[in-house]
Amino acid sequence: MNKSQMIKAVAEKSELTQKQVGEAWALIEETILEGLAAGEKIQLSGFGTFEVRERAERAGRNPKTGEVVTVPACKYLAFVSAKAVKEKLN
């Protein structure tokens, strides 16, 4: 399911228009990204937790040449699903 399909599904289940749902979704995305950029954990009760984690610098290999290269440190987004979500999926 992509973003537009999700917006359409939410609009059909609610009394809101697709435009209203799209605007609300954009605000939710913006708020989550601002929180993550500020170093906060975003906990959505009953759904899961988003947080930014750091990956240390490490050695890697170029698959074409076999040459050892340094992969720089980076930040990445981690999501841990809530127990209710895990139970529903399994």
Side-chain angles (χ1 to χ4, degrees), residues 22-41:
E23 290 170 353
W25 184 260
L27 290 172
I28 292 167
E29 283 179 345
E30 181 182 332
T31 305
I32 289 172
L33 288 174
E34 286 173 355
L36 291 170
E40 299 175 20
K41 278 186 182 180

Side-chain angles (χ1 to χ4, degrees), residues 40-52:
E40 299 175 20
K41 278 186 182 180
I42 306 297
Q43 295 178 326
L44 304 175
S45 183
F47 186 69
T49 303
F50 295 93
E51 68 179 321
V52 176

